[in-house]
Amino acid sequence: MARRALGPALLAVVQAVDAALTPADARLLVACSGGADSLALAAAARHVAARRGLPCAAAVVDHGLQAGSDAVAARTAAVLAGLGLADVVVLRVAVPAAGGPEAAARDARYAALRAAAAGDPPATVLLGHTRDDQAETVLLGLARGSGTRSLAGMAVRGAGLLRPLLEVPRATTEQVCVELGLQPWSDPHNVDPRFARVRVRHRVLPVLEDALGPGVAQALARTARLARDDADLLDALAAEADPGLGAPTCDALAALPAALRGRVLRRWLAREGAGDVGADHVRAVEALVLAWRGQRGVDLPGGTVARSGGRLLWQAVGRG
């Protein structure tokens, strides 16, 4: 496709993909569900890869969670081949019953994509999350009250994954499909109100747009960028302040600013093997540092934190 042949929506997505790539991205693997976002991403990635001389493949993940999912995956693979992607693979995964279905499906999907991307050099996995997805993620993080890192939303790049469309609105990816004459697949889960993200998408964001005016999604995505910059800096400072292995001293912890102290405690607890540590857990451990009155230890997922001799001590469950 020559540049002059690109429609305005596809051109916008092509430019986003092109801007996100670096010389380290030697091979591309586009994750495609068959929805508008990932189809638009695949079309743009194929164009950019051809111009740059990069190998570009695509992967369709079949979670097996819905009747006929294999047929949807096969149809998506055929559409991708029609877009000019010669190397298309269907990855079938087993989603464990334990945990939330969204998180379990995501973990299984990412594991399969990373395995498919393995090689020398490994492929960069491109994901089709848009600005609207980022806005939804920020609102969900705000509702959890999980702090700056949660408000930071999804990273553009990390752990072999690249999200080049986080500044592109969903309406643009939908228009790409119109320009190319594609019929994107509509995942029934995307309209199922049992899922919090669906309620945010179809109920919360429209109310905010109606009450506050247009541009809410863009503002939330901008908030994510700013929050991520702040969170990255604080995490780097916390790594410098982290005393490393051993039992941390309460005096050293008390001397840290609150934003760093909480992060240092999280790093220490993760090293000791604590499970899913939330903000309330961290505050309870901080009380052992800042408001010590001889109180008993704090129970956390996987163990207990106690104070002894001016230090915090971790005792794992089942150890005496």
Side-chain angles (χ1 to χ4, degrees):
M1 286 182 285
R3 177 176 289 271
R4 62 180 177 272
L6 301 183
L10 179 56
L11 178 59
V13 178
V14 164
Q15 291 172 334
V17 172
D18 196 43
L21 295 178
T22 72
D25 301 309
R27 294 195 298 129
L28 307 181
L29 178 66
V30 183
C32 188
S33 66
D37 300 338
S38 57
L39 285 177
L41 175 62
R46 191 213 67 83
H47 178 85
V48 173
R51 184 167 56 80
R52 291 188 175 215
L54 298 177
C56 183
V60 183
V61 179
D62 177 8
H63 300 87
L65 296 177
Q66 302 169 13
S69 63
D70 54 343
V72 171
R75 173 186 175 276
T76 300
V79 172
L80 291 169
L83 288 173
L85 288 139
D87 186 3
V88 181
V89 61
V90 174
L91 306 174
R92 291 179 173 83
V93 300
V95 179
E102 290 176 286
R106 181 181 62 247
D107 291 345
R109 177 169 64 253
Y110 285 2
L113 289 169
R114 288 191 175 103
D120 186 17
T124 301
V125 177
L126 274 61
L127 304 175
H129 297 114
T130 65
R131 187 173 71 190
D132 299 77
D133 296 307
Q134 185 74 299
E136 294 158 11
T137 301
V138 173
L139 283 176
L140 289 168
L142 181 64
R144 288 193 298 269
S146 304
T148 308
R149 177 55 68 187
S150 185
L151 293 180
M154 295 175 285
V156 173
R157 182 183 292 271
L161 306 177
L162 178 63
R163 300 177 177 89
L165 306 187
L166 289 182
E167 298 293 335
V168 177
R170 183 175 295 132
T172 298
T173 65
E174 293 171 346
Q175 184 59 33
V176 168
C177 293
V178 173
E179 290 176 356
L180 297 178
L182 301 177
Q183 293 291 328
W185 174 64
S186 296
D187 186 346
H189 285 170
N190 288 339
V191 293
D192 189 337
R194 292 179 300 169
F195 300 111
R197 182 175 292 274
V198 172
R199 296 194 296 273
V200 167
R201 178 176 302 176
H202 295 289
R203 298 178 185 175
V204 178
L205 271 172
V207 169
L208 290 176
E209 293 275 359
D210 182 61
L212 302 177
V216 170
Q218 184 176 5
L220 288 169
R222 183 168 60 249
T223 296
R225 290 197 308 274
L226 297 172
R228 181 164 295 277
D229 289 343
D230 291 349
D232 287 346
L233 173 60
L234 288 169
D235 286 348
L237 294 174
E240 294 177 4
D242 189 340
L245 299 177
T249 66
C250 293
D251 286 346
L253 288 168
L256 293 174
L260 294 185
R261 184 169 52 248
R263 283 171 165 77
V264 170
L265 285 172
R266 285 181 181 274
R267 291 172 62 90
W268 172 64
L269 291 169
R271 278 198 303 273
E272 295 293 341
D276 188 12
V277 175
D280 290 342
H281 294 129
V282 174
R283 279 197 296 270
V285 174
E286 279 189 302
L288 299 177
V289 175
L290 303 176
W292 174 244
R293 298 183 303 276
Q295 61 263 43
R296 296 179 58 188
V298 175
D299 292 329
L300 299 177
T304 300
V305 176
R307 175 168 172 159
S308 178
R311 293 178 177 272
L312 294 182
L313 303 177
W314 168 262
Q315 182 173 340
V317 171
R319 295 184 181 179

